[in-house]
Amino acid sequence: MDRPVFRAYFLQPRFWPLWLGLGLLWLIAQLPYTVLLRLGRCLGGVMYRLASSRRKIAARNLELCFPQMSAAEREALLKENFASTGITFFEMAIAWWWPAERLRRLGTIEGLEHLRQAKADGQGVILMALHFTTLEMGGGLLGMAQNMYGMYRPHKNPLFDYVQRRGREQRLLGVIGRDDVRGMLKLLRAGGVVWYAPDQDYGAQRSVFVPLFGVPAATVTATSKFARMGRAQVIPFTQQRLPDGQGYRLVIHPPLADFPTDSEEADCLRVNQWIEQAISACPEQYLWAHRRFKTRPEGEPKLYKKKR
């Protein structure tokens, strides 16, 4: 797999604002962890007020997924979610740029024996993760304890893409493009571990509709296909930011038994049921600003208001 390469055109004036922003973020990231948490919460409060389109998407998702909550409870959850999203910016810097020993002190990992057993069995592993706001910390902390690769979607800005890949590949063996099916299967058949998140809406073409929090959701069938074709286990993985600056708890859960089956729909339903459980454990830390229910079954109305 290719490695990120610095390009001379990254020094062009059009990239200077991004360089300035990244440099400022690097400087701020040298502050103590608890200070960064407070700064992140403040940033999240500003985002809550200014990022109205994202706030409306997140609020709609909470309304769809937690109808049993009162409006006041959902509003409190929404504000806490934006606070978590603000912290994400500094967690990204921590995961990419802190020295390994300093970063390692922030996390505890449970369940590594499941990955070791898969290796002993000669099987590859699809490490099934979710798009929590703590995603970068989860990957960074686990990547220092376990050799693994990550699925990756290139960023539109080539400079940020370069910086992002360099940051992630300090902790991972490498990254695989989201559409590089051949590369993914090759790694799995060789006994590799691939960090993969199937919890976003990628359209109807590669998905089936199964419930997620009671709402029909376009759910990618790739998880069971990769497991079958790569002869790999699917092992769920979660991370959670602990309260009061205690760091992060990473959990590698037992592998999904009897997976995949002959039914893609049953497999997708099982994945979504696990997703529901994982999100419900810390809903304030999930990435609710994604239009998870954008793709609808034929004939069903849209669930998000159009942008004006």
Side-chain angles (χ1 to χ4, degrees):
M1 275 162 283
D2 64 317
R3 294 291 180 178
V5 178
F6 183 87
R7 306 293 183 183
Y9 71 83
F10 290 161
L11 300 176
Q12 293 177 0
R14 65 189 176 106
F15 291 115
W16 290 357
L18 180 54
W19 278 120
L20 180 62
L22 290 169
L24 180 60
L25 181 60
W26 184 91
L27 286 172
I28 294 173
Q30 308 315 306
L31 294 170
Y33 175 66
T34 53
V35 175
L36 295 175
L37 290 179
R38 289 196 292 270
L39 289 175
R41 293 188 69 88
C42 291
L43 176 59
V46 173
M47 293 168 59
Y48 175 83
R49 290 171 176 79
L50 298 183
S52 61
S53 62
R54 290 296 174 185
R55 186 180 69 243
K56 291 175 182 176
I57 293 169
R60 179 59 170 151
N61 283 332
L62 293 177
E63 181 183 35
L64 290 167
C65 294
F66 301 111
Q68 74 279 11
M69 287 186 179
S70 68
E73 288 173 328
R74 286 197 297 267
E75 183 67 15
L77 177 55
L78 179 63
K79 289 181 178 178
E80 190 61 27
N81 182 242
F82 268 79
S84 183
T85 303
I87 293 170
T88 297
F89 286 90
F90 300 108
E91 288 175 332
M92 178 182 69
I94 290 170
W96 293 354
W97 297 327
W98 271 23
E101 284 307 311
R102 188 183 181 191
L103 176 61
R104 192 174 284 114
R105 289 196 293 268
L106 289 180
T108 60
I109 306 175
E110 304 170 16
L112 279 171
E113 66 272 11
H114 299 305
L115 296 179
R116 296 184 182 122
Q117 184 60 54
K119 183 177 181 180
D121 294 340
Q123 285 188 280
V125 170
I126 298 171
L127 196 63
M128 186 169 66
L130 300 179
H131 284 85
F132 283 105
T133 58
T134 51
L135 180 142
E136 293 288 349
M137 291 299 296
L141 286 165
L142 185 57
M144 292 188 297
Q146 167 67 47
N147 289 335
M148 65 182 195
Y149 296 84
M151 290 292 283
Y152 174 75
R153 180 172 62 182
H155 196 275
K156 292 180 181 179
N157 185 297
L159 172 58
F160 189 83
D161 185 69
Y162 166 77
V163 174
Q164 179 175 252
R165 282 196 60 185
R166 274 186 59 90
R168 289 181 176 178
E169 291 186 14
Q170 284 194 81
R171 317 298 183 191
L172 305 175
L173 291 177
V175 297
I176 312 165
R178 193 178 67 185
D179 296 324
D180 185 6
V181 175
R182 182 176 297 178
M184 171 81 156
L185 296 178
K186 182 178 180 180
L187 287 172
L188 292 175
R189 289 171 181 169
V193 177
V194 181
W195 181 36
Y196 167 73
D199 59 323
Q200 294 197 330
D201 187 335
Y202 295 118
Q205 187 174 5
R206 304 176 186 176
S207 305
V208 296
F209 286 97
V210 293
L212 178 66
F213 289 102
V215 182
T219 304
V220 291
T221 58
T223 309
S224 54
K225 287 180 178 177
F226 285 152
R228 183 180 299 105
M229 297 172 68
R231 299 186 287 276
Q233 293 186 22
V234 175
I235 298 183
F237 166 60
T238 56
Q239 72 279 326
Q240 183 176 3
R241 185 190 307 114
L242 300 174
D244 304 319
Q246 297 177 71
Y248 303 83
R249 175 177 178 250
L250 282 66
V251 180
I252 301 162
H253 302 267
L256 297 184
D258 303 317
F259 188 95
T261 68
D262 294 332
S263 169
E264 288 185 339
E265 184 173 348
D267 290 344
C268 287
L269 178 59
R270 190 171 177 192
V271 168
N272 279 2
Q273 288 171 340
W274 174 77
I275 288 173
E276 290 179 14
Q277 295 173 9
I279 292 174
S280 297
C282 53
E284 74 282 358
Q285 294 181 28
Y286 190 64
L287 184 64
W288 292 110
H290 169 69
R291 289 184 177 88
R292 181 62 187 89
F293 306 106
K294 180 180 179 180
T295 304
R296 308 308 308 136
E298 187 174 353
E300 287 201 9
K302 301 294 184 182
L303 296 178
Y304 304 98
K305 292 182 180 179
K306 293 182 179 180
K307 294 182 180 180
R308 294 184 178 179

